[in-house]
Amino acid sequence: MIKSLSIIFPVFNEELRLKSSFNHIKSFLKKKKKFKTEIIFADDGSQDNSYNLIIRYIKSFKSNKKIKIKAVKLKRNLGKGGALKLGVKSAKHDWILTSDIDMSVSLFQFTNWINQKLINEKFFVYFGSRKHEKSIVKKKRIRNILGNIMRFLILTILNIKIKDTQCGYKLYKKRIGKLIFSKLKTFGFNHDLEIILFLKAKNIKIKELPVKWIHKNNSSLNIFWDPIKMFLGIFLLKFRNF
């Protein structure tokens, strides 16, 4: 049974999407179950107005004993993994959920997991998986092609058998999440792969769960350069000791 939850959103230059994200968060907090919740915006050194918008939103929100909202900020852009590391460090509740700020996976997905009794004490780490047989996925064809190529490389080079390593929707028991991110050294898109390799070395199992995933425009992902960076990062992780 989940009694308290920290939700961490990594943010980098997201001013165009924050308003709709704030509305989604507000809706979730109104309808969620009675567990304590804290929302943590982890700003990855944004160069636009993102952090100011977040601070304004926090000031407008009336916190109470059940709900807290706060922001943490990196002085410079490190990457998604760096922002999550900072966010996890400040998380206080029993479980930690990481989620992309574009809400490509709704916060209500977590509620669905609870209602379907998919979270239990047998696992301490859950990955949302777009490749799960029960998942519903709407995304552009080019992203699907790139994803399949990367999955092949990840399996071949790193022997990682997780079907979807890159979905940002992940749930950790606090002590495991704190341990993972305190050791994290990879701050770019490959941070997910380092997490998996770390868990594998510690014999901590990951359970993949279904998600409803919808592609959102205005992503900071660079279709050309980011896959190249990730490809190089895979080889660097190949020679890391865990």
Side-chain angles (χ1 to χ4, degrees):
M1 173 122 182
I2 293 181
K3 295 182 179 179
S4 63
L5 178 70
S6 297
I7 305 174
I8 302 172
F9 296 101
V11 178
F12 178 65
N13 292 348
E14 293 283 1
E15 63 180 1
L16 295 178
R17 296 195 286 198
L18 281 175
K19 184 177 180 181
S20 62
S21 299
F22 292 155
N23 291 335
H24 184 87
I25 292 168
K26 184 177 180 180
S27 178
F28 172 76
L29 293 176
K30 280 185 176 180
K31 297 177 182 179
K32 74 179 182 63
K33 292 193 175 183
K34 295 181 179 180
F35 51 81
K36 290 183 179 180
T37 306
E38 70 172 347
I39 304 292
I40 303 172
F41 296 99
D43 188 279
D44 187 21
S46 291
Q47 298 159 347
D48 63 1
N49 200 39
S50 293
Y51 189 69
N52 291 331
L53 292 174
I54 290 169
I55 296 302
R56 195 182 307 163
Y57 173 69
I58 293 173
K59 288 180 178 178
S60 70
F61 193 91
K62 293 182 180 179
S63 296
N64 54 55
K65 291 182 179 180
K66 291 283 188 180
I67 302 171
K68 302 290 183 184
I69 302 181
K70 62 183 178 181
V72 291
K73 182 177 174 63
L74 291 169
K75 292 182 179 179
R76 62 186 180 89
N77 175 239
L78 293 181
K80 184 178 179 180
L84 287 174
K85 180 169 184 169
L86 183 63
V88 169
K89 184 179 180 180
S90 67
K92 300 190 182 304
H93 288 335
D94 294 335
W95 287 84
I96 297 171
L97 176 69
T98 65
S99 176
D100 292 336
I101 195 66
D102 65 358
M103 306 299 171
S104 50
V105 179
S106 166
L107 290 178
F108 291 101
Q109 182 67 70
F110 175 78
T111 307
N112 291 340
W113 287 352
I114 298 298
N115 291 340
Q116 294 170 34
K117 295 183 167 62
L118 298 178
I119 310 298
N120 56 60
E121 294 301 321
K122 294 181 180 179
F123 292 86
F124 301 121
V125 181
Y126 298 85
F127 279 16
S129 175
R130 292 163 292 189
K131 289 297 180 179
H132 193 284
E133 60 181 7
K134 294 183 179 179
S135 290
I136 300 172
V137 179
K138 297 179 182 179
K139 62 180 176 179
K140 292 184 177 180
R141 187 177 180 184
I142 183 64
R143 291 178 70 107
N144 196 44
I145 293 171
L146 289 173
N148 288 334
I149 293 171
M150 283 301 167
R151 269 187 294 278
F152 173 77
L153 293 173
I154 290 166
L155 175 61
T156 304
I157 298 170
L158 298 178
N159 194 31
I160 289 176
K161 297 179 181 179
I162 297 294
K163 293 180 180 179
D164 185 0
T165 63
Q166 301 309 115
C167 180
Y169 208 82
K170 295 179 169 68
L171 180 68
Y172 308 89
K173 189 71 173 177
K174 183 174 76 171
R175 66 179 179 85
I176 300 298
K178 294 273 189 182
L179 176 62
I180 294 167
F181 283 92
S182 69
K183 304 293 185 182
L184 191 70
K185 296 179 180 178
T186 305
F187 294 154
F189 288 106
N190 284 355
H191 78 275
D192 299 282
L193 303 180
E194 182 181 327
I195 287 172
I196 295 168
L197 293 173
F198 178 84
L199 291 170
K200 188 176 180 181
K202 299 294 182 183
N203 291 315
I204 299 173
K205 293 182 179 180
I206 300 167
K207 185 173 183 179
E208 292 188 88
L209 296 180
V211 293
K212 181 178 181 181
W213 192 94
I214 301 174
H215 171 76
K216 299 294 178 71
N217 293 322
N218 299 316
S219 171
S220 59
L221 177 70
N222 186 302
I223 293 296
F224 179 73
W225 286 112
D226 287 331
I228 293 175
K229 291 177 185 177
M230 190 169 180
F231 177 73
L232 295 173
I234 290 171
F235 279 98
L236 291 175
L237 286 170
K238 173 70 175 176
F239 302 103
R240 281 270 303 277
N241 292 319
F242 292 92

